[in-house]
Amino acid sequence: MHFLPEAIDQYILEHSVKEPEFLAKLNRETNQKVLQPRMLSGNYQGRILSLISKIIAPKSILEIGTYTGYSALCLAEGLTKDGILHTIDINEELYDFQQKYFQASEYKNQIKQYIGDAREIIPEIDAKFDLVFIDADKPNYPAYFDLIIGKMIPGGVILSDNVLWSGKVVEPVKPEDESTRALLKYNKMLAEDERVETVILPIRDGLTLTRVK
Ligand SMILES: C[S@@+](CC[C@H](N)C(=O)[O-])C[C@H]1O[C@@H](n2cnc3c(N)ncnc32)[C@H](O)[C@@H]1O
């Protein structure tokens, strides 16, 4: 969901750094060939992920929710020369699509793809992270935070997508709406956890910026 008027969204795009052609191609191919292309971060959020990553210059990034690889490639733009990005997705049908773009990119030797449930894979990754992007199934956001907090480098940053969930976090919750309930729990958890400092940014569907103390 976009919370700003369309004209403001457009103005912001016109005055922000442009999407690289390689990523625009990935974006187009996702829209042509893959189900639910709305899941892809897209031009504006992608440039934000890229800039945050460049500011941090991480050695080690974890992404939960690869989808077609768009956000992974944005985050990889900030990696140090010897840095590694680990990216996990449960949907094995996306592997070849991701692989095609990762291999064609300048980060082909710096991206490690994992297929499977992130709750099982995260404990197996022997690394500490200075940047994490959580963008997978919403009911597991609290579990993902619990799994990664002990693997964060002090000063590391956790970004969490869709935390405003089209505004549903401030509306009455339907009994069957597990995702909104999980996000309400997650947002409260992060706001109250003394190990981190958190602000929610009203970017696209809500992007949380969390710094680990
Ligand atoms: C919103 S999409 C990710 C979009 C991607 N980060 C981007 O911006 O281009 C969410 C992805 O999470 C994956 N996913 C869902 N549950 C998962 C789980 N338990 N473990 C790992 N990946 C999961 C889905 O298969 C889907 O591809």
Side-chain angles (χ1 to χ4, degrees):
M1 177 173 177
H2 293 252
F3 293 101
L4 294 172
E6 211 171 292
I8 297 286
D9 269 343
Q10 193 53 37
Y11 182 85
I12 290 171
L13 271 185
E14 283 165 8
H15 295 82
S16 299
V17 64
K18 299 288 169 275
E19 182 182 44
E21 179 45 38
F22 181 65
L23 290 174
K25 186 166 170 255
L26 191 166
N27 198 340
R28 282 194 299 276
E29 195 175 339
T30 300
N31 275 274
Q32 286 158 0
K33 299 187 179 161
V34 187
L35 289 174
Q36 296 183 281
R38 278 184 59 235
M39 295 212 291
L40 183 146
S41 278
N43 176 6
Y44 177 55
Q45 183 164 300
R47 289 306 85 208
I48 292 168
L49 296 176
S50 161
L51 265 189
I52 292 175
S53 185
K54 284 175 182 168
I55 291 165
I56 297 171
K59 263 185 184 299
S60 179
I61 303 177
L62 171 68
E63 177 182 62
I64 309 172
T66 320
Y67 188 50
T68 53
Y70 188 93
S71 51
L73 287 165
C74 295
L75 293 164
E77 291 175 28
L79 279 172
T80 55
K81 276 202 171 4
D82 57 345
I84 297 288
L85 179 143
H86 306 262
T87 183
I88 311 170
D89 204 287
I90 201 165
N91 185 352
E92 62 184 352
E93 288 174 13
L94 295 169
Y95 186 86
D96 290 346
F97 191 110
Q98 298 161 2
Q99 175 78 358
K100 179 175 123 181
Y101 277 91
F102 291 163
Q103 284 303 313
S105 80
E106 59 186 283
Y107 313 106
K108 64 177 179 191
N109 298 320
Q110 293 180 276
I111 298 180
K112 282 195 179 179
Q113 283 169 273
Y114 301 79
I115 294 295
D117 191 326
R119 287 170 304 173
E120 287 162 22
I121 291 173
I122 295 166
E124 304 291 318
I125 301 177
D126 184 18
K128 293 264 183 189
F129 307 114
D130 28 24
L131 179 58
V132 173
F133 182 41
I134 304 178
D135 189 18
D137 51 328
K138 310 312 156 192
N140 280 320
Y141 271 34
Y144 294 144
F145 179 78
D146 287 338
L147 285 170
I148 60 173
I149 188 69
K151 287 176 168 272
M152 295 300 298
I153 287 165
V157 167
I158 303 167
L159 299 168
S160 317
D161 199 15
N162 306 107
V163 294
L164 299 177
W165 208 225
S166 303
K168 289 192 187 128
V169 289
V170 292
E171 292 168 4
V173 184
K174 296 196 177 112
E176 70 283 6
D177 189 350
E178 198 192 344
S179 295
T180 302
R181 256 197 307 281
L183 286 169
L184 287 168
K185 177 178 172 189
Y186 183 69
N187 291 339
K188 188 166 186 290
M189 229 172 116
L190 260 56
E192 292 175 355
D193 194 315
E194 295 194 343
R195 294 169 294 181
V196 298
E197 297 166 89
T198 289
V199 288
I200 294 179
L201 307 173
I203 289 168
R204 223 175 64 128
D205 196 22
L207 183 71
T208 299
L209 177 60
T210 300
R211 179 183 176 273
V212 180
K213 291 181 190 166

